[in-house]
Amino acid sequence: MLFPDSFFEDEVRDGFYVPALMKRSWAAQIEVLEEVARICKKHHIRWFADRGTLLGAVRHKGFIPWDDDLDICMLRDDYIRFNAVIRRELPKGFYIPESTVMGYRLLTRVCNGKSICIKKDFLEKYHGFPFVAGIDIFALDYVSCDPEAENLRKKLAVIVYKAVTLVNDENQNTHETEELVSQVEKLLHIRLNRSISLNTQLFTLLEDLFGKFPASQAKEVAYMPNWIFDNVWKFPLDCYRSSVLLPFEYGEIAVPVLYQETLKLQFGEHYMTPYRAGGGHDYPCHQPQMEQMAEALEGEHLPFEYQFSPEDLVRPHSRNEQDTRLPQSQGQQASQVKLPWKASGNVRLQQETRRFLRLTADAHKDILKAIQASELDTVRTLLQICQENAIYIGTALEQACGEGISTVKLLEEYCDVTYQIHEKLEDASDGGKDVELLDSLLEKIEFSFGFCYNK
C-alpha cells in the first residue's frame, strides 16, 4: 500500500503521542493484512476487522492511537478453510508461529518473517520497519439454539480447557495427569493415545468442542475462550452475514455489516467516546525486538530511536491542520470544483473524496439488491454507512476550505434523502426510484468535486 511520507512522522492523535516507529509498525501490519485479504479473496473466505481494530475503523478511521496490533476474525468454517490453504499461499518469507503458549494456540497469527531483518528489499516493502509484523486471526463459533446442548458443550469445553492448561509433555506420565485425562475420556467417551503428546490431542479436542455446532443450528456466534466462562463476546450471527468496507488509514478494511451492534456488545453503548485502557500485552508489542537489537548493537543508538519533549504532546500535527484527519459524525458539508487541492496540501483529502464516491456508488448497488430481497436491516445499515461517510467527508472539506461551498448543500441533500428512505423502508415499493435519486445526487457531488474516477 502507498503511504505519503507525512504519514511516517510522529504525531499526536487524540492527545496520545504516536511515534514514527509505531506508524511504520502499523504500515507493516497493513501490508500483512493485504496478503491475507488477497488469499481470502482467492478462496472466497470471509473475514472481518475485530476487537480494537474494528473500533478503530469506526471511531478513528484507522488504528486507535494507543493500539499497536491488528486483529481480524472469521466464522469457524471460513477459519478452517483459511488454515487449510494459508501456508502454501503465503509469499516466501512469511511465517505462521506454532506457539505452545495456550492463548496463542487458540488463534492463527500471520507474520512477515521470523526475526529482525534489515535487508533493503524487506525494509522497502515494510516501510522501514525492521521487526516482525503480524496480525492475529480469531475464530467465531456457532452457539446452539438449544440451551441444554449449549450448556453441555460449555461444561465439557471448560473441563478440556483446564486440562490443556495443566497437561504438558513433561508431566503427561504422572499419576495426577492420568487421573485428569481419564476423567476427560470418560465424559467425552473417547480414548487418547498415551504414546504421543496428550497436550496436542487435548487441544485438538478443545477446538472440536468449540466448533461442535454448524451454522444451521445457530442464530449467534461467540469467541469461545471467553464464552465458555460466561464472559462477553457473543453476537447475533446476522452481524457476520456479510461485510462492508470502511476507511482505514490510507486504505479500507472489511467490517461486519451490523458493526454498530457488534461494537455495542463489545465496548458498550458509548463506544464512540475514546477511553484509553490497557490491552492484553505490553505496549509497544515490538519492544522486546527493540531490546534485542539494542543488545546486538552493544550500546550504540538505534538508527530509528525517537525523542520528544513535553511540548510535542500538545503540538498539533500538520495533518490535523492541512491533511485533515476526519472527525466522526459532525456536520454535513463538502467541496466545489475550485477546491485548490495541491495548493492547500490536501492530497489525503482528495484521496478520501475519491474513495467516498467509489464506496458509496457500490453501496447504492447493494442497497437496491437488499431492498429487492426485503433485507431491510441490511438496507438500514448501508444507508447509515452512506450518511456517515458523507458527514465524514463534508466535515473535512468545510474545515479545509471554509463555509459557503456549493457542494455542502448537495451533501446535506444527500443525507436528507438517505434519512427519508430509512424512515419509509416498510414500504419498499419505490425502492428503485429512491436509489436512482441517490445515484443522481452522487453524480452531482462527483461533478462538483471536479474529478471522475474513470479518468
Side-chain angles (χ1 to χ4, degrees):
M1 179 179 292
L2 293 176
F3 293 87
D5 291 341
S6 60
F7 175 77
F8 298 107
E9 298 174 3
D10 58 342
E11 178 183 358
V12 176
R13 291 190 184 184
D14 292 330
F16 187 83
Y17 180 77
V18 184
L21 185 59
M22 181 55 68
K23 295 285 200 67
R24 297 188 184 280
S25 174
W26 287 352
Q29 292 175 59
I30 289 174
E31 295 291 350
V32 176
L33 176 62
E34 288 205 329
E35 288 292 346
V36 169
R38 175 187 62 80
I39 294 168
C40 287
K41 183 177 181 180
K42 177 179 177 180
H43 292 275
H44 307 288
I45 295 171
R46 294 167 295 176
W47 63 272
F48 312 89
D50 194 32
R51 305 172 185 240
T53 303
L54 173 59
L55 180 59
V58 175
R59 193 173 71 192
H60 302 273
K61 312 301 179 186
F63 283 93
I64 296 174
W66 42 93
D67 195 9
D68 61 350
D69 63 352
L70 198 157
D71 298 323
I72 67 173
C73 66
M74 299 174 182
L75 298 173
R76 173 63 70 174
D77 36 10
D78 285 308
Y79 182 79
I80 291 173
R81 292 196 299 118
F82 175 79
N83 280 286
V85 302
I86 186 63
R87 285 170 174 80
R88 71 170 183 263
E89 291 281 6
L90 282 172
K92 183 179 179 180
F94 271 69
Y95 173 60
I96 299 179
E98 299 287 350
S99 176
T100 57
V101 179
M102 177 61 187
Y104 286 97
R105 291 189 67 179
L106 298 175
L107 58 87
T108 297
R109 180 164 177 79
V110 178
C111 301
N112 62 351
K114 288 186 177 181
S115 59
I116 298 169
C117 183
I118 57 173
K119 293 182 179 179
K120 181 180 179 181
D121 57 346
F122 183 91
L123 293 177
E124 287 179 350
K125 178 173 177 58
Y126 296 108
H127 309 283
F129 190 68
F131 305 121
V132 175
I135 67 172
D136 291 336
I137 304 168
F138 298 87
L140 292 177
D141 287 292
Y142 302 107
V143 176
S144 176
C145 291
D146 181 346
E148 290 187 8
E150 182 58 36
N151 286 333
L152 177 59
R153 187 260 293 274
K154 289 175 68 175
K155 290 178 181 178
L156 294 174
V158 167
I159 293 170
V160 177
Y161 188 99
K162 291 180 177 178
V164 171
T165 62
L166 294 173
V167 176
N168 55 55
D169 292 346
E170 285 72 35
N171 68 10
Q172 78 168 40
N173 295 320
T174 64
H175 177 70
E176 292 79 6
T177 294
E178 179 60 33
E179 287 187 342
L180 179 59
V181 171
S182 295
Q183 179 189 11
V184 171
E185 291 176 326
K186 184 176 180 180
L187 288 170
L188 296 174
H189 308 289
I190 60 170
R191 180 67 180 173
L192 300 180
N193 187 346
R194 272 35 174 205
S195 64
I196 60 176
S197 172
L198 287 174
N199 181 269
T200 299
Q201 294 177 78
L202 287 167
F203 177 75
T204 300
L205 185 59
L206 180 62
E207 281 207 312
D208 289 343
L209 283 169
F210 284 172
K212 178 178 178 62
F213 299 112
S216 60
Q217 297 181 20
K219 292 184 179 179
E220 295 175 301
V221 294
Y223 178 58
M224 282 294 153
N226 283 17
W227 170 237
I228 62 174
F229 292 104
D230 295 321
N231 293 329
V232 197
W233 304 90
K234 183 166 71 81
F235 317 100
L237 178 56
D238 284 342
C239 291
Y240 296 91
R241 292 292 186 187
S242 60
S243 65
V244 294
L245 294 175
L246 292 183
F248 194 84
E249 298 301 339
Y250 283 85
E252 300 156 5
I253 198 166
V255 303
V257 64
L258 301 181
Y259 61 84
Q260 300 98 330
E261 187 167 357
T262 302
L263 287 171
K264 287 178 183 178
L265 290 168
Q266 288 189 35
F267 300 102
E269 292 286 338
H270 304 292
Y271 64 84
M272 290 300 290
T273 301
Y275 170 73
R276 186 182 170 195
H281 55 256
D282 293 334
Y283 178 98
C285 58
H286 54 259
Q287 181 65 33
Q289 296 181 78
M290 289 182 63
E291 294 172 357
Q292 179 184 348
M293 179 175 278
E295 183 178 347
L297 291 173
E298 297 180 349
E300 295 184 22
H301 287 293
L302 296 174
F304 38 74
E305 274 188 315
Y306 56 88
Q307 297 179 347
F308 62 94
S309 64
E311 290 76 16
D312 287 321
L313 294 176
V314 296
R315 172 178 59 83
H317 191 265
S318 60
R319 189 173 73 169
N320 292 328
E321 298 169 341
Q322 292 185 333
D323 262 358
T324 315
R325 182 154 185 88
L326 308 180
Q328 297 82 24
S329 302
Q330 299 176 8
Q332 300 176 1
Q333 300 86 18
S335 164
Q336 63 180 0
V337 176
K338 296 180 181 180
L339 183 63
W341 298 111
K342 294 184 179 180
S344 66
N346 281 308
V347 176
R348 166 72 181 268
L349 192 51
Q350 185 179 14
Q351 293 172 338
E352 292 285 357
T353 52
R354 288 181 181 275
R355 184 162 57 239
F356 161 73
L357 292 173
R358 176 168 55 81
L359 288 175
T360 306
D362 290 341
H364 288 180
K365 297 175 184 176
D366 292 335
I367 289 171
L368 181 57
K369 291 179 182 177
I371 289 175
Q372 293 169 344
S374 298
E375 297 174 351
L376 300 188
D377 286 340
T378 300
V379 177
R380 292 187 181 95
T381 298
L382 291 171
L383 286 170
Q384 182 173 350
I385 291 171
C386 289
Q387 187 180 61
E388 287 177 351
N389 286 344
I391 293 170
Y392 175 97
I393 287 295
T395 302
L397 290 168
E398 185 175 55
Q399 287 181 351
C401 307
E403 299 180 357
I405 301 170
S406 61
T407 317
V408 169
K409 296 181 180 179
L410 286 172
L411 280 174
E412 288 177 341
E413 185 179 352
Y414 180 89
C415 290
D416 287 341
V417 171
T418 58
Y419 176 77
Q420 292 167 15
I421 297 174
H422 188 283
E423 289 298 293
K424 66 174 187 177
L425 268 182
E426 297 305 324
D427 178 17
S429 58
D430 293 332
K433 293 182 180 179
D434 290 333
V435 176
E436 287 180 4
L437 179 56
L438 288 178
D439 287 338
S440 176
L441 281 170
L442 194 64
E443 288 180 2
K444 292 178 182 179
I445 293 169
E446 182 176 15
F447 178 78
S448 70
F449 278 127
F451 52 80
C452 178
Y453 285 103
N454 294 325
K455 294 181 180 179

